[in-house]
Amino acid sequence: MEALTILTLGVICLAAAAVGGGLKIYKAEFPHIASVRRQALLAAVGALAVGVALVLLFVTKTGGGRGDDQAASRTGETKVSPSGRLGSTSPVAETPGNVFWRGEREFEGTATAYDLDAIPGSPEGNDELSYDAATRKLGMSYSSDSAAWPGPGTPTSADCRRRVKTHRQQDIQVRPETMACLITDQNRVAFIRVKAFATRDGHEAAVAEVTIWNPR
């Protein structure tokens, strides 16, 4: 039975008890009640019905929003809040504002070194990252702030920073799908995934996906 129906019946019982019966509302008809005891009993039933109805209405109103959120959480859907802001039920590993640069780069196997703090304007600035086509090694020019990422999956900036701290190496042997973490001169974190090798102007280049995060 719906809450509004229970509420209506409760109000009718209270009204009938108040006037001592002889009341007809809609299809409900109450005979005259001479006994004060019966009037009190009818009033108690009415009050109980009103109380139950109010509780049901409160539960329905407050529980509906939680039910929608739980359903969205199970399906992974994005829910729009009353304020118009989008809220996602899944956590975000990296906020967009933390990414300094993301894209595809070609690192040529020449004497040129690349400044990861200046991408995509490199090769300029500090010479940090170099690729040796003869040995197919990638590494930082003047430090050991690099490490191979063994997987599985793509690391976060924190994952990469921890990897470099515990597995530092000067050069990283690369092949397609090799992944590497690096720390730049300006303390940014870079993640490189080598996709393939290509020839540019007679020189071999490593084609890679690069993500560089700002220092936190």
Side-chain angles (χ1 to χ4, degrees):
M1 188 177 293
E2 295 182 357
L4 291 178
T5 303
I6 298 175
L7 180 62
T8 301
L9 291 177
V11 171
I12 292 174
C13 288
L14 289 173
V19 299
L23 186 65
K24 184 177 182 180
I25 302 177
Y26 299 109
K27 296 181 180 181
E29 183 175 356
F30 294 86
H32 288 284
I33 303 173
S35 171
V36 176
R37 185 176 179 180
R38 291 183 179 179
Q39 283 181 262
L41 182 60
L42 184 60
V45 172
L48 179 61
V50 170
V52 171
L54 292 177
V55 170
L56 290 175
L57 287 172
F58 177 78
V59 170
T60 302
K61 183 177 180 180
T62 58
R66 288 196 300 268
D68 292 343
D69 290 341
Q70 291 170 358
S73 179
R74 287 192 299 269
T75 59
E77 294 176 351
T78 299
K79 187 181 178 199
V80 180
S81 66
S83 63
R85 297 178 181 176
L86 289 176
S88 175
T89 58
S90 58
V92 179
E94 297 288 345
T95 59
N98 190 42
V99 176
F100 172 66
W101 190 84
R102 175 180 286 139
E104 184 176 289
R105 286 291 298 177
E106 292 185 1
F107 299 103
E108 295 184 11
T110 63
T112 301
Y114 295 83
D115 184 2
L116 295 178
D117 291 310
I119 283 181
S122 56
E124 292 178 2
N126 295 327
D127 295 340
E128 291 184 302
L129 180 69
S130 61
Y131 171 63
D132 187 342
T135 59
R136 285 193 170 176
K137 287 185 177 181
L138 190 72
M140 303 299 280
S141 301
Y142 304 112
S143 70
S144 299
D145 288 339
S146 60
W149 175 255
T154 302
T156 64
S157 58
D159 293 334
C160 259
R161 191 177 292 277
R162 282 192 297 269
R163 182 68 182 179
V164 172
K165 184 177 180 180
T166 57
H167 295 78
R168 292 178 186 272
Q169 56 190 111
Q170 180 74 38
D171 299 306
I172 300 169
Q173 191 76 49
V174 297
R175 58 182 59 86
E177 295 305 315
T178 292
M179 297 179 287
C181 295
L182 310 101
I183 307 296
T184 74
D185 285 346
Q186 296 182 22
N187 202 33
R188 290 188 174 95
V189 178
F191 172 70
I192 296 176
R193 183 199 304 270
V194 177
K195 297 171 59 179
F197 299 99
T199 301
R200 299 288 183 263
D201 299 326
H203 301 287
E204 183 181 86
V207 183
E209 293 175 351
V210 180
T211 299
I212 303 173
W213 293 282
N214 287 313
R216 289 186 173 182

